[in-house]
């Protein structure tokens, strides 16, 4: 575990420039398309420097730049790029770095819509994708071909929370001249530092914990040089731009990320420990639990666990599962996560894997531990299990 206590100070100050705005702490929301230039010389200079300044609304505004600067500083990257969703951040990265004839190694536990992007869109443009076992470690070297350009990681994996050996995979990729991109949404820039572990490009669905209040869609790509320019140019070529109001909400959410995550972590672990004792539960998939298969790697590389994890139930009828889930009062059912509210969602990892197979005795449920009182959440789950048993 690394000590990132300085992050708590940085998070309140990174990207803040009150002196540029009458001393007001937060940057205003700049709504902009046209930006005026006072002379031909100024216009020509702006065209030349367009990736680094206010130029045209689509390239970003001072609100966008404040968010990008803050996130890049927290994650210890060089630059960040705000995009209209997490999936757009992934799409911008992959389309910027890959070309026809290239080969992509994609982790099998990736956020599912990324598979559609690879299998349909990238395939149409001549990029080949091979899915690999999230637990492959240094063995990924055996899958690397001369045309492998990028190895993509997401750790812990979506739905099933396998922890990848990120430094081992990154070392194998780099030895073969391939780049390493990682979806760091789960850990956020606070609980995992990708650039210290060999990652070249870090991607966030800021929609989740960074926005943190379930009210905006936003993505971020954090880069080390020289990838910023490549990805920014590609995002521009495709017309991606993040909305200024959403950048404002993300920057506002970021300021309290550390205190929120402490609570998500504590409640998530409390729920995970309680669930592990339950007779209805076959397995708890949470790398923060000491007996989780990913615990040692998580402890080595991460400085915390956020509030998202899964459980596998013992075999149960569809009706009994519905009786449990339909009656929850605090846990809501819906997509996304990372807000202040607790969520529970039936998921089907077995339906999406191709490189590995996922078998579980009963249904898998993904939980998000929100900021409610942990005991109240346990009571909600306990009553849910009562309904499940009564309907069995
Ligand atoms: C939600 C999610 C995304 C996509 O983010 P959106 O903002 O919903 O497009 C990407 N990666 C992970 C791990 C996610 O959970």
């Amino acid at each position: 575990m690394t000590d990132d206590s300085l992050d708590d100070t940085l998070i309140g100050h990174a990207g803040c420039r009150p002196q540029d705005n009458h001393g007001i702490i937060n940057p205003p929301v700049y709504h902009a398309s046209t930006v005026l230039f006072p002379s031909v010389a100024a216009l020509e200079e702006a065209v030349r420097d367009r990736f680094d300044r206010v130029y045209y609304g689509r390239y970003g505004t001072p609100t966008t730049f404040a968010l990008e600067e803050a996130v890049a500083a927290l994650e210890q990257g060089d630059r960040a790029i705000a995009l209209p969703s997490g999936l757009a951040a992934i799409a911008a990265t992959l389309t910027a770095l890959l070309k026809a004839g290239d080969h992509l190694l994609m982790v099998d536990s990736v956020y599912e819509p990324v598979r559609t992007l690879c299998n349909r869109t990238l395939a149409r443009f001549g990029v080949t994708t091979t899915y690999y076992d999230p637990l492959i470690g240094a063995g990924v070297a055996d899958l690397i071909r001369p045309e492998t350009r990028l190895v993509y990681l997401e750790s812990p994996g979506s739905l099933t929370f396998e922890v990848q050996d990120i430094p081992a995979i990154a070392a194998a990729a780099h030895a073969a001249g391939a780049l390493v991109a990682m979806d760091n949404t789960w850990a956020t820039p606070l609980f995992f530092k990708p650039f210290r572990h060999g990652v070249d490009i870090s991607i966030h669905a800021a929609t989740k914990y960074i926005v943190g209040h379930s009210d905006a869609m936003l993505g971020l790509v954090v880069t080390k040089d020289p990838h910023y320019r490549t990805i920014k140019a590609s995002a521009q070529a495709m017309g991606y731009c993040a909305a200024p109001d959403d950048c404002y909400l993300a920057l506002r959410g970021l300021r309290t990320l550390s205190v929120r995550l402490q609570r998500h972590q504590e409640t998530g672990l409390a729920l995970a420990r309680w669930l592990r004792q339950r007779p209805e539960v076959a397995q708890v998939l949470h790398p923060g639990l000491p007996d989780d298969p990913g615990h040692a790697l998580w402890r080595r590389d991460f400085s915390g666990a956020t509030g998202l994890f899964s459980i596998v139930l013992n075999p149960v009828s569809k009706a009994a599962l519905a009786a449990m889930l339909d009656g929850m009062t605090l846990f809501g059912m819906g997509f996304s996560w990372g807000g202040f509210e607790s969520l529970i969602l039936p998921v089907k990892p077995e339906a999406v894997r191709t490189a590995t197979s996922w078998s579980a005795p009963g249904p898998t449920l993904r939980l998000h531990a929100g900021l409610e009182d942990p005991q109240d959440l346990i009571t909600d789950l306990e009553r849910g299990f009562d309904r499940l048993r009564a309907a069995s």
Side-chain angles (χ1 to χ4, degrees):
M1 311 272 268
T2 49
D3 179 11
D4 286 307
S5 55
L6 287 178
D7 279 354
D8 285 347
T9 302
L10 189 61
I11 206 170
H13 293 270
C16 263
R17 297 187 192 284
Q19 68 283 2
D20 292 351
N21 177 39
H22 311 282
I24 295 168
I25 305 288
N26 290 319
V29 180
Y30 285 90
H31 286 109
S33 55
T34 301
V35 175
L36 299 176
F37 306 102
S39 65
V40 172
L43 174 67
E44 285 174 351
E45 188 188 318
V47 173
R48 206 170 44 243
D49 300 341
R50 63 192 181 284
F51 291 104
D52 301 306
R53 52 162 294 153
V54 179
Y55 168 70
Y56 175 51
R58 200 176 59 226
Y59 284 71
T61 68
T63 320
T64 326
F65 302 153
L67 170 67
E68 291 171 344
E69 184 182 326
V71 172
L74 267 181
E75 205 162 54
Q76 300 166 359
D78 293 323
R79 300 279 295 261
I81 305 165
L83 290 136
S85 71
L87 188 56
I90 298 167
T93 302
L94 296 182
T95 51
L97 299 175
L98 297 167
K99 62 179 187 322
D102 282 348
H103 176 237
L104 166 66
L105 279 170
M106 175 58 67
V107 66
D108 206 28
S109 50
V110 70
Y111 176 66
E112 192 189 349
V114 178
R115 301 180 84 99
T116 311
L117 172 68
C118 295
N119 298 348
R120 305 226 179 121
T121 312
L122 292 181
R124 278 197 288 118
F125 291 93
V127 175
T128 312
T129 302
T130 302
Y131 294 90
Y132 69 88
D133 183 342
L135 304 179
I136 199 167
V140 77
D142 297 338
L143 298 179
I144 295 177
R145 307 177 190 166
E147 66 275 20
T148 304
R149 169 78 177 134
L150 186 75
V151 180
Y152 186 103
L153 301 89
E154 180 185 327
S155 184
S158 269
L159 310 184
T160 44
F161 301 92
E162 295 92 338
V163 181
Q164 297 193 257
D165 190 340
I166 300 160
I169 294 172
H174 289 156
L179 292 170
V180 177
M182 176 182 167
D183 185 326
N184 194 26
T185 302
W186 181 85
T188 86
L190 290 179
F191 285 168
F192 181 73
K193 302 293 184 192
F195 303 112
R196 279 193 213 148
H197 294 88
V199 173
D200 301 302
I201 297 117
S202 168
I203 300 169
H204 295 275
T207 307
K208 310 290 166 60
Y209 282 121
I210 294 179
V211 166
H213 295 73
S214 311
D215 51 4
M217 304 294 303
L218 200 74
L220 285 156
V221 178
V222 187
T223 58
K224 282 288 202 189
D225 286 334
H227 309 298
Y228 168 79
R229 187 57 184 258
T230 313
I231 298 170
K232 177 80 180 177
S234 177
Q236 277 306 310
M238 292 192 295
Y240 279 145
C241 58
D245 290 294
D246 297 339
C247 290
Y248 182 88
L249 289 173
L251 190 59
R252 189 160 118 145
L254 187 72
R255 301 301 178 202
T256 58
L257 182 63
S258 180
V259 285
R260 286 187 287 112
L261 283 192
Q262 289 308 327
R263 179 67 176 256
H264 287 296
Q265 167 163 253
E266 282 164 26
T267 302
L269 280 166
L271 296 183
R273 287 191 200 104
W274 182 83
L275 284 160
R276 206 177 37 175
Q277 315 298 329
R278 294 292 310 192
E280 299 85 354
V281 176
Q283 222 184 328
V284 178
L285 311 172
H286 188 311
L289 293 181
D291 54 2
D292 186 90
H295 184 73
L297 284 179
W298 171 79
R299 249 192 112 72
R300 185 190 71 185
D301 294 343
F302 291 71
S303 58
T306 54
L308 191 77
F309 65 98
S310 287
I311 58 174
V312 176
L313 298 181
N314 285 315
V316 61
S317 73
K318 206 173 167 189
L321 182 65
M324 175 187 179
L325 297 180
D326 292 355
M328 303 303 288
T329 56
L330 297 177
F331 283 88
M333 214 180 332
F335 297 103
S336 202
W337 45 275
F340 49 83
E341 76 289 7
S342 289
L343 298 168
I344 192 163
L345 186 72
V347 295
K348 290 196 173 359
E350 63 277 11
V352 292
R353 301 298 162 94
T354 52
T356 53
S357 64
W358 174 258
S359 64
T364 307
L365 302 177
R366 190 186 70 184
L367 283 86
H368 178 248
L371 302 178
E372 301 93 335
D373 178 74
Q375 193 50 53
D376 287 345
L377 294 174
I378 286 175
T379 304
D380 202 24
L381 289 170
E382 194 162 31
R383 291 187 183 142
F385 286 136
D386 291 345
R387 287 190 301 277
L388 180 144
R389 278 199 315 280
S392 288

